[in-house]
PDB file of all heavy atoms in Angstrom:
ATOM      1  N   LEU A 266      95.139 101.960 134.094  1.00 92.00           N
ATOM      2  CA  LEU A 266      94.884 100.521 134.024  1.00 92.00           C
ATOM      3  C   LEU A 266      93.429 100.238 133.640  1.00 92.00           C
ATOM      4  O   LEU A 266      93.157  99.320 132.863  1.00 92.00           O
ATOM      5  CB  LEU A 266      95.254  99.854 135.347  1.00 92.00           C
ATOM      6  CG  LEU A 266      96.746  99.916 135.694  1.00 92.00           C
ATOM      7  CD1 LEU A 266      97.000  99.366 137.091  1.00 92.00           C
ATOM      8  CD2 LEU A 266      97.593  99.193 134.660  1.00 92.00           C
ATOM      9  N   ASP A 267      92.505 101.043 134.146  1.00 91.00           N
ATOM     10  CA  ASP A 267      91.100 100.887 133.748  1.00 91.00           C
ATOM     11  C   ASP A 267      90.932 101.139 132.251  1.00 91.00           C
ATOM     12  O   ASP A 267      90.193 100.427 131.566  1.00 91.00           O
ATOM     13  CB  ASP A 267      90.196 101.846 134.534  1.00 91.00           C
ATOM     14  CG  ASP A 267      89.964 101.413 135.967  1.00 91.00           C
ATOM     15  OD1 ASP A 267      90.300 100.269 136.333  1.00 91.00           O
ATOM     16  OD2 ASP A 267      89.434 102.248 136.743  1.00 91.00           O
ATOM     17  N   ALA A 268      91.624 102.158 131.742  1.00 92.00           N
ATOM     18  CA  ALA A 268      91.561 102.446 130.305  1.00 92.00           C
ATOM     19  C   ALA A 268      92.191 101.316 129.500  1.00 92.00           C
ATOM     20  O   ALA A 268      91.710 100.980 128.401  1.00 92.00           O
ATOM     21  CB  ALA A 268      92.249 103.774 129.998  1.00 92.00           C
ATOM     22  N   LEU A 269      93.248 100.701 130.027  1.00 88.00           N
ATOM     23  CA  LEU A 269      93.868  99.551 129.356  1.00 88.00           C
ATOM     24  C   LEU A 269      92.884  98.390 129.274  1.00 88.00           C
ATOM     25  O   LEU A 269      92.755  97.744 128.232  1.00 88.00           O
ATOM     26  CB  LEU A 269      95.141  99.140 130.095  1.00 88.00           C
ATOM     27  CG  LEU A 269      95.933  97.964 129.526  1.00 88.00           C
ATOM     28  CD1 LEU A 269      96.356  98.212 128.088  1.00 88.00           C
ATOM     29  CD2 LEU A 269      97.150  97.696 130.409  1.00 88.00           C
ATOM     30  N   VAL A 270      92.155  98.141 130.349  1.00 90.00           N
ATOM     31  CA  VAL A 270      91.117  97.101 130.339  1.00 90.00           C
ATOM     32  C   VAL A 270      90.097  97.423 129.249  1.00 90.00           C
ATOM     33  O   VAL A 270      89.703  96.549 128.463  1.00 90.00           O
ATOM     34  CB  VAL A 270      90.430  96.985 131.717  1.00 90.00           C
ATOM     35  CG1 VAL A 270      89.168  96.130 131.625  1.00 90.00           C
ATOM     36  CG2 VAL A 270      91.383  96.416 132.751  1.00 90.00           C
ATOM     37  N   GLY A 271      89.671  98.675 129.176  1.00 89.00           N
ATOM     38  CA  GLY A 271      88.705  99.080 128.153  1.00 89.00           C
ATOM     39  C   GLY A 271      89.229  98.875 126.748  1.00 89.00           C
ATOM     40  O   GLY A 271      88.519  98.405 125.860  1.00 89.00           O
ATOM     41  N   GLU A 272      90.493  99.214 126.539  1.00 88.00           N
ATOM     42  CA  GLU A 272      91.107  99.038 125.215  1.00 88.00           C
ATOM     43  C   GLU A 272      91.179  97.567 124.834  1.00 88.00           C
ATOM     44  O   GLU A 272      90.822  97.183 123.720  1.00 88.00           O
ATOM     45  CB  GLU A 272      92.505  99.654 125.211  1.00 88.00           C
ATOM     46  CG  GLU A 272      93.192  99.625 123.873  1.00 88.00           C
ATOM     47  CD  GLU A 272      92.719 100.710 122.928  1.00 88.00           C
ATOM     48  OE1 GLU A 272      92.054 101.653 123.367  1.00 88.00           O
ATOM     49  OE2 GLU A 272      93.039 100.598 121.737  1.00 88.00           O
ATOM     50  N   TYR A 273      91.639  96.730 125.741  1.00 88.00           N
ATOM     51  CA  TYR A 273      91.691  95.290 125.468  1.00 88.00           C
ATOM     52  C   TYR A 273      90.291  94.760 125.171  1.00 88.00           C
ATOM     53  O   TYR A 273      90.102  93.960 124.255  1.00 88.00           O
ATOM     54  CB  TYR A 273      92.255  94.523 126.666  1.00 88.00           C
ATOM     55  CG  TYR A 273      93.743  94.618 126.875  1.00 88.00           C
ATOM     56  CD1 TYR A 273      94.299  94.125 128.055  1.00 88.00           C
ATOM     57  CD2 TYR A 273      94.611  95.177 125.947  1.00 88.00           C
ATOM     58  CE1 TYR A 273      95.669  94.182 128.295  1.00 88.00           C
ATOM     59  CE2 TYR A 273      95.965  95.246 126.178  1.00 88.00           C
ATOM     60  CZ  TYR A 273      96.490  94.744 127.352  1.00 88.00           C
ATOM     61  OH  TYR A 273      97.831  94.805 127.588  1.00 88.00           O
ATOM     62  N   SER A 274      89.322  95.207 125.937  1.00 87.00           N
ATOM     63  CA  SER A 274      87.942  94.746 125.728  1.00 87.00           C
ATOM     64  C   SER A 274      87.430  95.148 124.353  1.00 87.00           C
ATOM     65  O   SER A 274      86.806  94.343 123.657  1.00 87.00           O
ATOM     66  CB  SER A 274      87.020  95.299 126.818  1.00 87.00           C
ATOM     67  OG  SER A 274      87.380  94.784 128.074  1.00 87.00           O
ATOM     68  N   ARG A 275      87.690  96.392 123.944  1.00 88.00           N
ATOM     69  CA  ARG A 275      87.232  96.856 122.622  1.00 88.00           C
ATOM     70  C   ARG A 275      87.913  96.095 121.486  1.00 88.00           C
ATOM     71  O   ARG A 275      87.278  95.750 120.497  1.00 88.00           O
ATOM     72  CB  ARG A 275      87.496  98.349 122.459  1.00 88.00           C
ATOM     73  CG  ARG A 275      86.488  99.235 123.156  1.00 88.00           C
ATOM     74  CD  ARG A 275      86.661 100.707 122.812  1.00 88.00           C
ATOM     75  NE  ARG A 275      87.944 101.258 123.228  1.00 88.00           N
ATOM     76  CZ  ARG A 275      88.243 101.628 124.465  1.00 88.00           C
ATOM     77  NH1 ARG A 275      87.358 101.490 125.422  1.00 88.00           N
ATOM     78  NH2 ARG A 275      89.427 102.145 124.742  1.00 88.00           N
ATOM     79  N   ARG A 276      89.197  95.849 121.617  1.00 88.00           N
ATOM     80  CA  ARG A 276      89.931  95.222 120.525  1.00 88.00           C
ATOM     81  C   ARG A 276      89.705  93.712 120.422  1.00 88.00           C
ATOM     82  O   ARG A 276      89.835  93.151 119.341  1.00 88.00           O
ATOM     83  CB  ARG A 276      91.426  95.500 120.658  1.00 88.00           C
ATOM     84  CG  ARG A 276      91.755  96.956 120.384  1.00 88.00           C
ATOM     85  CD  ARG A 276      93.232  97.169 120.287  1.00 88.00           C
ATOM     86  NE  ARG A 276      93.549  98.586 120.256  1.00 88.00           N
ATOM     87  CZ  ARG A 276      94.493  99.111 119.512  1.00 88.00           C
ATOM     88  NH1 ARG A 276      95.226  98.363 118.733  1.00 88.00           N
ATOM     89  NH2 ARG A 276      94.730 100.396 119.554  1.00 88.00           N
ATOM     90  N   TYR A 277      89.431  93.069 121.545  1.00 85.00           N
ATOM     91  CA  TYR A 277      89.407  91.602 121.543  1.00 85.00           C
ATOM     92  C   TYR A 277      88.084  90.993 122.019  1.00 85.00           C
ATOM     93  O   TYR A 277      87.995  89.780 122.169  1.00 85.00           O
ATOM     94  CB  TYR A 277      90.563  91.073 122.415  1.00 85.00           C
ATOM     95  CG  TYR A 277      91.912  91.515 121.905  1.00 85.00           C
ATOM     96  CD1 TYR A 277      92.622  92.515 122.541  1.00 85.00           C
ATOM     97  CD2 TYR A 277      92.458  90.940 120.760  1.00 85.00           C
ATOM     98  CE1 TYR A 277      93.852  92.938 122.056  1.00 85.00           C
ATOM     99  CE2 TYR A 277      93.684  91.353 120.271  1.00 85.00           C
ATOM    100  CZ  TYR A 277      94.379  92.346 120.916  1.00 85.00           C
ATOM    101  OH  TYR A 277      95.598  92.768 120.435  1.00 85.00           O
ATOM    102  N   HIS A 278      87.053  91.789 122.201  1.00 84.00           N
ATOM    103  CA  HIS A 278      85.786  91.282 122.753  1.00 84.00           C
ATOM    104  C   HIS A 278      85.127  90.206 121.896  1.00 84.00           C
ATOM    105  O   HIS A 278      84.404  89.366 122.404  1.00 84.00           O
ATOM    106  CB  HIS A 278      84.796  92.440 122.946  1.00 84.00           C
ATOM    107  CG  HIS A 278      84.243  92.939 121.646  1.00 84.00           C
ATOM    108  ND1 HIS A 278      84.941  93.812 120.834  1.00 84.00           N
ATOM    109  CD2 HIS A 278      83.089  92.669 121.009  1.00 84.00           C
ATOM    110  CE1 HIS A 278      84.225  94.057 119.760  1.00 84.00           C
ATOM    111  NE2 HIS A 278      83.100  93.374 119.832  1.00 84.00           N
ATOM    112  N   ASP A 279      85.387  90.212 120.608  1.00 84.00           N
ATOM    113  CA  ASP A 279      84.682  89.307 119.698  1.00 84.00           C
ATOM    114  C   ASP A 279      85.380  87.963 119.499  1.00 84.00           C
ATOM    115  O   ASP A 279      84.901  87.132 118.729  1.00 84.00           O
ATOM    116  CB  ASP A 279      84.499  89.982 118.341  1.00 84.00           C
ATOM    117  CG  ASP A 279      85.822  90.318 117.664  1.00 84.00           C
ATOM    118  OD1 ASP A 279      86.839  90.491 118.372  1.00 84.00           O
ATOM    119  OD2 ASP A 279      85.832  90.422 116.429  1.00 84.00           O
ATOM    120  N   LEU A 280      86.477  87.727 120.196  1.00 81.00           N
ATOM    121  CA  LEU A 280      87.186  86.459 120.021  1.00 81.00           C
ATOM    122  C   LEU A 280      86.423  85.338 120.712  1.00 81.00           C
ATOM    123  O   LEU A 280      86.046  85.452 121.882  1.00 81.00           O
ATOM    124  CB  LEU A 280      88.604  86.542 120.568  1.00 81.00           C
ATOM    125  CG  LEU A 280      89.524  87.516 119.838  1.00 81.00           C
ATOM    126  CD1 LEU A 280      90.899  87.506 120.473  1.00 81.00           C
ATOM    127  CD2 LEU A 280      89.628  87.168 118.364  1.00 81.00           C
ATOM    128  N   GLU A 281      86.227  84.291 119.982  1.00 73.00           N
ATOM    129  CA  GLU A 281      85.480  83.145 120.495  1.00 73.00           C
ATOM    130  C   GLU A 281      86.193  82.532 121.701  1.00 73.00           C
ATOM    131  O   GLU A 281      87.408  82.362 121.719  1.00 73.00           O
ATOM    132  CB  GLU A 281      85.358  82.090 119.390  1.00 73.00           C
ATOM    133  CG  GLU A 281      84.409  80.981 119.739  1.00 73.00           C
ATOM    134  CD  GLU A 281      84.187  80.055 118.569  1.00 73.00           C
ATOM    135  OE1 GLU A 281      84.091  80.557 117.426  1.00 73.00           O
ATOM    136  OE2 GLU A 281      84.119  78.850 118.801  1.00 73.00           O
ATOM    137  N   GLY A 282      85.417  82.224 122.707  1.00 75.00           N
ATOM    138  CA  GLY A 282      85.939  81.554 123.881  1.00 75.00           C
ATOM    139  C   GLY A 282      86.553  82.474 124.926  1.00 75.00           C
ATOM    140  O   GLY A 282      87.010  82.018 125.965  1.00 75.00           O
ATOM    141  N   ARG A 283      86.568  83.791 124.659  1.00 74.00           N
ATOM    142  CA  ARG A 283      87.117  84.727 125.649  1.00 74.00           C
ATOM    143  C   ARG A 283      86.048  85.098 126.649  1.00 74.00           C
ATOM    144  O   ARG A 283      84.992  85.572 126.284  1.00 74.00           O
ATOM    145  CB  ARG A 283      87.609  85.999 124.969  1.00 74.00           C
ATOM    146  CG  ARG A 283      89.105  85.991 124.756  1.00 74.00           C
ATOM    147  CD  ARG A 283      89.604  87.248 124.098  1.00 74.00           C
ATOM    148  NE  ARG A 283      89.913  88.355 124.968  1.00 74.00           N
ATOM    149  CZ  ARG A 283      91.000  88.453 125.717  1.00 74.00           C
ATOM    150  NH1 ARG A 283      91.859  87.482 125.747  1.00 74.00           N
ATOM    151  NH2 ARG A 283      91.232  89.506 126.432  1.00 74.00           N
TER     152      ARG A 283
END
Side-chain angles (χ1 to χ4, degrees):
L266 295 174
D267 285 348
L269 181 58
V270 168
E272 184 79 14
Y273 285 170
S274 295
R275 281 188 297 281
R276 290 190 190 219
Y277 300 105
H278 73 279
D279 62 335
L280 295 180
E281 190 173 321
R283 261 181 87 76

